[in-house]
Amino acid sequence: MASASIGGLLFSSAALIAALSLSAEGFVAPSSHSSLARSYAPASDSLPSALYNRQARRKDKKKKKKRSSLIVDDDDEDNAPAANSQSYKKQEPILLGGGEIGFDSEVGESKIPVATSSASSQSSKSKLDQELSGERIAEEGIVGESVTSAASVSDMPLEPGMMQPDVTTIVTDPDTGIARIQQGKYVMDKVTGKAVILSSLGPEYRLAQMFPGVPPEVREQYRFDWKTVTVPEMVEQLKQACTVPLKNSQTGKEWLGVPPFPQISNPAVDFVLSNRDYLGHRMKKALGRLKLRSQSQFKKEEAAELRELWKHFLLLEDHISAPFRQIVLNAETVVGPNFGNLDMKSYCNGELYERTANYLVLKSMVAHWEKKYNDAMELDALPDDESAFMAQLYTGDPKRYLPDPPIIFRLAEVSRITSMAQQMVKAFVEEEELFDDLPAEVKFIESALSIKGGTALRQFMLEEFCPNENVDPASLREGLKRLYQQMFNMQSDPYGDLTMTLWNLCVATSVGTDEARDPYEEYIANVKGTKYENNPGFFQTYTFNHDKNSLVRFLDSSKTIEKGTAGSAEDVSRQIQGEALQLLGFSFGGGGSPNPATISADSERVEKDYDVPEDRAIGRPHMMGWLDLLGDEELTGGKKEEFEADKWEEVKS
């Protein structure tokens, strides 16, 4: 397939045409080319209800064995491999898929704190067996992890017999009445409000949806001059590209402004795509900080305009990355159920866009599990005494402390999954039919992660990789940054580890070039002091009043637990419980609670401002109030929020 190097991405001619397809109506090409208009399947009239019969659930629960109130060990521990800790040969894993390390079949007993369970798992399989078979860990009321997907304690799991919704939906938990997210089968495009539908015109068009670009003349019109451009100039150009003529259909008033949510314009999409490697999440941060800066200076109109532009840019990012996220989601359904199958061609073969997504899922899986392996190694090396109490708390995934943890976290089990994930990536890369024609920026990841040192990496890129792949270094660097921006829009777990490695590669390959310049730094990193005059990204924070019975005051007044003197977890728990009882008004040693009838009216006077402890105030002013400058508009986007209580009327006798 003939290809051209445009913007650091390798596209066929058809893919370049399809790159024009982003618009408010979907991905639509200009009239001079074949139409890429996307059609959306009509919503089904027979979609199952998100709610299910609460009474039936209660009856079903009564049939189950009554759970013990005592805490017992996790049943899955019986299935973990046991061996003498001295027999385990510790091996330094090369982070993030950089090598092909192996692990012994027997691993020493882990010192990681054992999570406890109040009941055995509903599944007949152990958690490790569920993961190794590519399934999600099954736990009641929790969406457990799989080898390619993260666990979530907030998402609403599907009940037996329920159909997964087409797009992610907010449903009400019938047991608690709390609104929870139920993940859908497809990614929703926020502009259309419907599921992303990939182009039916062929695989090259889908590749263009996955890695969108613009024609050279459009790129020339909107492209930044990175040698001299500043953040205010980028923000102003973004604002101009997003501004369109608006009209009030009722009053006839016309003006120029940012389109209301969820509308976007073609020029705005073209502008973002032309500078995708320069915008992305750093522009998100910069816009957010500039909005807070204006707000802290009580510039209400300017803060509102920046917020409007910020929200619109977030919408553009979501819209542009939606097809990429859908294609990667499809790849998860291919890789996950085949975990452990080293015959990669039997399920990872396909069109170029599919194989690219399969590789990214595999590589992200390796990066994620290598991080979990390192956490397990660190926890396993901690001493078994109180001095390591805090280190055990903040190392690794805190979901392991849940009664029935929906994750795998013990060293013996994690090492098995990590080793198999690395073998799968190795098998994929060794299949020329699968790997050799992937985009250059994707192939570079595999080679770069096995090279130590920035100088050696840049030398390899200039002298070996770019000549062999017939791509110039500037295009490769741009392609890496565009891939990074797409990956940054994925969920951080499990894609965050590979995404941060991509950013490190972007920085390392840019050293010594004009692209190493970073105009964002002084706006988002606070490198120029804490004054408005010399720091363009600074905004003054402040302390708040807190109610007498608030958690903040409770923590401020509690005893300081010094490192190494906390004692056991039970001692800490007793201390906190005792202080909480005092906080709630219970006295110890007699006296009892005060009689409400005898409380003086003086106690009902307005409470004084809270005197914030100096070590927490650190010189900040108190109650400036600028966070409330935009009022209800900050929460409702300018729309008045209505409550049921607002409609209540006093009953007159």
Side-chain angles (χ1 to χ4, degrees):
M1 180 176 65
S3 61
S5 177
I6 299 294
L9 300 173
L10 301 183
F11 290 132
S12 68
S13 56
L16 286 173
I17 294 172
L20 300 174
S21 57
L22 288 161
S23 71
E25 296 76 30
F27 289 80
V28 183
S31 58
S32 58
H33 301 293
S34 301
S35 174
L36 289 179
R38 296 158 63 197
S39 61
Y40 295 90
S44 172
D45 295 332
S46 60
L47 286 176
S49 171
L51 302 178
Y52 40 92
N53 191 295
R54 183 173 184 178
Q55 185 176 8
R57 278 175 54 90
R58 287 179 172 175
K59 290 181 179 180
D60 188 49
K61 285 185 176 181
K62 289 180 180 179
K63 296 179 183 179
K64 297 179 181 178
K65 183 179 178 181
K66 185 177 180 181
R67 292 174 176 242
S68 172
S69 60
L70 299 176
I71 297 179
V72 296
D73 289 340
D74 193 341
D75 293 339
D76 288 341
E77 290 309 296
D78 298 336
N79 298 312
N84 190 299
S85 60
Q86 299 298 325
S87 66
Y88 174 61
K89 300 177 182 178
K90 293 185 178 179
Q91 303 183 43
E92 282 284 334
I94 301 176
L95 293 180
L96 305 174
E100 295 77 36
I101 63 174
F103 298 91
D104 293 342
S105 58
E106 293 185 344
V107 182
E109 183 178 356
S110 174
K111 298 177 184 176
I112 297 176
V114 177
T116 55
S117 171
S118 59
S120 61
S121 175
Q122 293 180 336
S123 175
S124 59
K125 291 183 178 180
S126 71
K127 294 174 184 176
L128 179 61
D129 288 339
Q130 292 176 61
E131 291 249 26
L132 292 175
S133 61
E135 303 172 5
R136 280 191 179 272
I137 293 177
E139 290 294 346
E140 183 179 0
I142 296 177
V143 177
E145 75 171 357
S146 70
V147 289
T148 58
S149 304
S152 174
V153 296
S154 59
D155 286 0
M156 184 75 176
L158 294 173
E159 288 294 310
M162 289 184 64
M163 298 292 292
Q164 187 176 10
D166 284 342
V167 296
T168 299
T169 309
I170 297 178
V171 299
T172 301
D173 188 332
D175 286 341
T176 64
I178 298 174
R180 299 176 69 182
I181 293 175
Q182 197 162 69
Q183 296 293 338
K185 294 180 289 186
Y186 308 108
V187 173
M188 184 178 70
D189 185 347
K190 290 185 179 180
V191 170
T192 64
K194 300 178 181 179
V196 171
I197 302 297
L198 300 178
S199 174
S200 61
L201 298 179
E204 292 179 345
Y205 290 79
R206 295 190 174 193
L207 178 65
Q209 287 180 290
M210 187 179 186
F211 296 117
V214 292
E217 60 273 14
V218 176
R219 174 185 170 91
E220 181 67 24
Q221 177 184 357
Y222 291 119
R223 186 72 173 169
F224 294 141
D225 181 0
W226 197 244
K227 297 178 183 178
T228 59
V229 71
T230 64
V231 169
E233 290 172 350
M234 288 190 283
V235 171
E236 182 60 30
Q237 291 181 42
L238 174 63
K239 182 179 178 180
Q240 292 177 5
C242 295
T243 300
V244 297
L246 300 174
K247 182 178 180 179
N248 188 317
S249 58
Q250 296 180 346
T251 64
K253 179 183 177 182
E254 297 182 2
W255 72 99
L256 295 177
V258 174
F261 181 88
Q263 300 176 30
I264 60 176
S265 64
N266 286 324
V269 173
D270 288 342
F271 178 85
V272 173
L273 288 178
S274 298
N275 298 285
R276 193 76 196 286
D277 49 319
Y278 295 148
L279 296 173
H281 88 280
R282 294 175 77 77
M283 176 55 79
K284 295 177 188 176
K285 288 184 177 180
L287 286 172
R289 289 186 68 96
L290 288 172
K291 176 256 186 186
L292 292 173
R293 177 183 172 89
S294 296
Q295 209 169 328
S296 67
Q297 294 176 304
F298 294 91
K299 299 177 181 178
K300 182 175 181 180
E301 184 176 346
E302 181 179 298
E305 290 179 357
L306 284 168
R307 183 189 59 190
E308 184 179 43
L309 181 61
W310 181 32
K311 299 292 186 183
H312 192 69
F313 181 66
L314 294 177
L315 176 63
L316 287 166
E317 279 284 310
D318 284 339
H319 175 66
I320 290 170
S321 64
F324 178 89
R325 288 181 280 133
Q326 181 61 61
I327 292 171
V328 172
L329 180 63
N330 293 345
E332 285 184 14
T333 64
V334 172
V335 174
N338 287 284
F339 184 77
N341 182 358
L342 296 181
D343 182 11
M344 308 304 292
K345 292 176 65 175
S346 65
Y347 60 95
C348 276
N349 210 342
E351 301 294 344
L352 178 56
Y353 77 93
E354 294 173 314
R355 288 182 281 112
T356 300
N358 290 338
Y359 173 79
L360 292 174
V361 169
L362 287 165
K363 203 65 177 175
S364 297
M365 177 176 66
V366 169
H368 175 67
W369 284 97
E370 283 182 351
K371 174 63 167 62
K372 296 187 70 165
Y373 173 80
N374 284 338
D375 289 340
M377 288 283 288
E378 184 176 346
L379 285 166
D380 202 55
L382 291 174
D384 290 328
D385 54 42
E386 284 109 4
S387 64
F389 177 70
M390 295 304 296
Q392 290 180 347
L393 288 180
Y394 62 68
T395 302
D397 192 335
K399 288 191 284 290
R400 69 180 186 274
Y401 288 113
L402 291 172
D404 290 305
I407 61 171
I408 294 295
F409 59 90
R410 295 178 179 85
L411 181 59
E413 300 169 338
V414 170
S415 64
R416 289 181 60 184
I417 297 177
T418 305
S419 179
M420 178 52 67
Q422 291 173 329
Q423 292 178 53
M424 293 174 69
V425 170
K426 185 174 184 292
F428 183 97
V429 172
E430 289 176 348
E431 289 286 353
E432 295 182 0
E433 184 179 339
L434 300 179
F435 183 76
D436 280 10
D437 64 337
L438 296 188
E441 58 270 27
V442 177
K443 292 177 66 176
F444 183 73
I445 300 172
E446 188 65 31
S447 303
L449 292 180
S450 60
I451 299 174
K452 295 183 178 180
T455 301
L457 175 64
R458 290 186 290 276
Q459 184 177 1
F460 165 76
M461 177 185 69
L462 295 172
E463 298 179 3
E464 295 184 39
F465 186 84
C466 288
N468 292 339
E469 296 295 327
N470 194 27
V471 60
D472 66 278
S475 293
L476 177 62
R477 288 191 294 265
E478 182 177 337
L480 283 172
K481 292 177 182 177
R482 288 174 176 266
L483 175 60
Y484 164 73
Q485 301 296 359
Q486 292 286 63
M487 290 292 293
F488 195 88
N489 285 288
M490 299 295 297
Q491 59 267 33
S492 60
D493 189 358
Y495 294 98
D497 297 307
L498 180 62
T499 301
M500 293 313 300
T501 299
L502 272 170
W503 175 248
N504 292 336
L505 288 177
C506 292
V507 172
T509 55
S510 297
V511 171
T513 70
D514 293 333
E515 297 158 30
R517 176 178 178 267
D518 186 6
Y520 289 111
E521 185 176 18
E522 59 185 8
Y523 284 83
I524 64 179
N526 271 342
V527 294
K528 289 194 173 184
T530 56
K531 293 183 178 180
Y532 287 101
E533 295 78 15
N534 55 20
N535 186 345
F538 172 75
F539 56 90
Q540 179 63 63
T541 60
Y542 59 92
T543 58
F544 298 87
N545 279 336
H546 294 283
D547 184 81
K548 182 174 64 175
N549 293 329
S550 67
L551 179 61
V552 173
R553 288 208 186 187
F554 164 61
L555 294 175
D556 283 341
S557 62
S558 65
K559 298 177 182 178
T560 302
I561 302 175
E562 300 293 342
K563 182 178 180 181
T565 64
S568 66
E570 295 177 353
D571 293 337
V572 175
S573 177
R574 282 195 295 269
Q575 175 182 327
I576 294 176
Q577 288 174 3
E579 291 171 349
L581 290 174
Q582 294 180 46
L583 177 69
L584 295 173
F586 294 93
S587 61
F588 297 88
S593 301
N595 186 345
T598 63
I599 297 177
S600 170
D602 293 340
S603 63
E604 299 179 3
R605 64 182 181 274
V606 177
E607 196 172 322
K608 295 181 179 179
D609 282 353
Y610 176 43
D611 186 12
V612 182
E614 183 55 37
D615 59 345
R616 192 159 60 75
I618 54 175
R620 293 178 296 167
H622 188 64
M623 289 300 295
M624 292 181 65
W626 59 258
L627 280 173
D628 299 323
L629 181 66
L630 299 180
D632 291 339
E633 297 176 9
E634 188 75 324
L635 300 176
T636 65
K639 300 177 182 178
K640 182 178 179 181
E641 191 170 5
E642 295 184 357
F643 300 93
E644 181 65 26
D646 295 335
K647 304 175 184 178
W648 295 352
E649 297 181 0
E650 181 182 356
V651 177
K652 298 181 180 180
S653 57

